Amino acid sequence: MLACTRIGAVHTVVFAGFSSEALAGRIQDAGCAAVLTCNEGVRGGRVIDLKSTVDAAVRSCPTVRHVFVSQRTDKPAVMGQLDVPLDQVMMSQSPACPAEPLDSEDLLFLLYTSGSTGKPKGIVHTQAGYLLYTSMTHQYVFDYRDGDVFGCVADVGWITGHSYVVYGPLCNGATTVLFESTPVYPNPGRYWETVQRLRISQFYGAPTALRLLLKFDNSWVKKYDRSSLRTLGSVGEPINHEAWHWFHSVVGDGRCPLVDTWWQTETGGVCIAPRPADHGAPIIPAMAMRPFYGVQPVLMGEEGDPLPGNSVSGALCISEPWPGMARSIYGDHQRFVDAYFKPFPGCYFTGDGAFRSEDGHYQITGRMDDVINVSGHRLGTAEIEDALDEHPAVPETAVIGYPHDIKGEVPFAFVVLKEDFGSAPLAVLQELRELVATKIAKYAVPEHFLVVKRLPKTRSGKIMRRILRKVAMETTGDLGDVSTLDDPSVVKEIIEAHELYRKQRGQE
Ligand code: WT7
């Protein structure tokens, strides 16, 4: 990443868990000239064959002139025409490389993320504002001081890794930690062993990992020295109270401020967090609380009007620009305008809902659109539906988010099968799982599949996901207004199918 920025090249990092098709889609959209990869990735005791994913992807990417291959493991990569052995060619290069002067608004990087409709969008971040914003938030939200070792355990493939593994900490001269594993490999003490060994001052992680770890005995935490820790941070999804208190009292021994930081790929850096605040101001558990310097949150009501006062809930918008905000969607500025600035004219719309408490503190209540969050990974339900709909047996699907005690949410797919496939649903469902894994990634594969005859639709043909959510959650006692349904009998049909599905799962 830093080498790219040094020569003025725009980078777009792709998470190693993506399929070759997902990688190809990003390379094509960005028109990449070069791809950099390792021969293999290593994670949690598993080897990921990155080179073959890249090989399969670049076949459909005519803009790629070179594939630079670094040897992460001993296994020699099979080298093709486009491939350049990175470690070898680097040895023959001059160690001096003057930095390319750029404009403050020149592109720094693209990062692809999911929206509620269409293909993933290439979020554009630019040079100066992004760096200023990540370095300031890194310093003030986490109380970074010279000499600290900053431990953000996010993958560099997501915005958290960009802003708080690479750009923010390094801009501030921090020592940053590159964590290349999982929280449970080789055992559930891995994070805390790392804290002890590296004397980490700030530990920044995701609620999904905490929910996984708190199921193990506390001795996995207690046996390591965590006295170097000064601030704890959480990011990516709402943190539940159990995880918050475990993190605060078991990991932090109750002595480290725990900051629940709300932000997004699009915001560049943390926008709402309990710190900075007047020295020692109390932190309310599981609340993001305070806007960062210069961030102006506004809650919008159903009529699109800003809600005044406190103890109100609404659509979370930001009314003034801030340095770290995304500048565009690569290649489609109109989509950028439409997605973020049309819903509430004059404001940036986040897609999240929020509550402003009696004391004026913010609490994020979750997405208001068709975006779900699986283990902190953002997914558009439309993306999963697109992948499922490619199956010849499947005329139609609807995907919703369904609660999961570790992952936060998992995709739940309602699937309509063509008549002639109805007799072999299990085989089709297995093919559907594989389809999603190859089109997107394994984590996008629905945990639940419910085969239904029809989907609930309005007279104008729109799927009423609200009803599907209620069926999945078994809260159909209160269906709300169903008067716009084209044929209300469909609800009973789906409830019955769901009851059967539950019985079958119960027997497994
Ligand atoms: C979405 C952004 C922020 C970097 C990692 C995710 C959800 C993020 C919180 C939080 C509740 C949160 C929101 C947001 N989210 N942080 N502290 N509390 N929800 O970045 O992939 O762009 O996802 O993650 O729904 O819109 P992302």
Side-chain angles (χ1 to χ4, degrees), residues 457-460 462 464 466 481-487:
K457 289 193 187 162
T458 63
R459 264 168 248 129
S460 56
K462 215 171 165 279
M464 282 178 89
R466 179 170 59 81
D481 181 15
V482 290
S483 62
T484 55
L485 265 181
D486 179 41
D487 177 0

Side-chain angles (χ1 to χ4, degrees), residues 135-154:
S135 68
M136 275 194 77
T137 47
H138 171 254
Q139 177 177 342
Y140 289 103
V141 173
F142 301 98
D143 183 28
Y144 170 73
R145 301 178 204 164
D146 284 348
D148 285 352
V149 176
F150 191 78
C152 168
V153 290

Side-chain angles (χ1 to χ4, degrees), residues 113 159-160 235-238 260-266 352 364 367 373 378:
T113 191
I159 191 71
T160 311
V235 62
E237 44 175 328
D260 174 16
T261 62
W262 175 88
W263 58 293
Q264 312 175 292
T265 305
E266 294 88 338
D352 284 311
I364 310 302
R367 296 291 305 196
N373 195 321
R378 179 164 152 186

Side-chain angles (χ1 to χ4, degrees), residues 398-446:
V399 173
I400 58 162
Y402 183 77
H404 184 279
D405 61 349
I406 290 172
K407 298 178 186 173
E409 271 184 303
V410 287
F412 188 130
F414 292 81
V415 179
V416 179
L417 293 185
K418 279 195 187 146
E419 291 269 306
D420 32 338
F421 288 91
S423 56
L426 290 181
V428 174
L429 295 187
Q430 192 46 37
E431 286 162 13
L432 288 175
R433 286 188 189 95
E434 283 155 23
L435 200 54
V436 177
T438 47
K439 293 266 160 205
I440 312 174
K442 283 209 186 91
Y443 70 81
V445 175

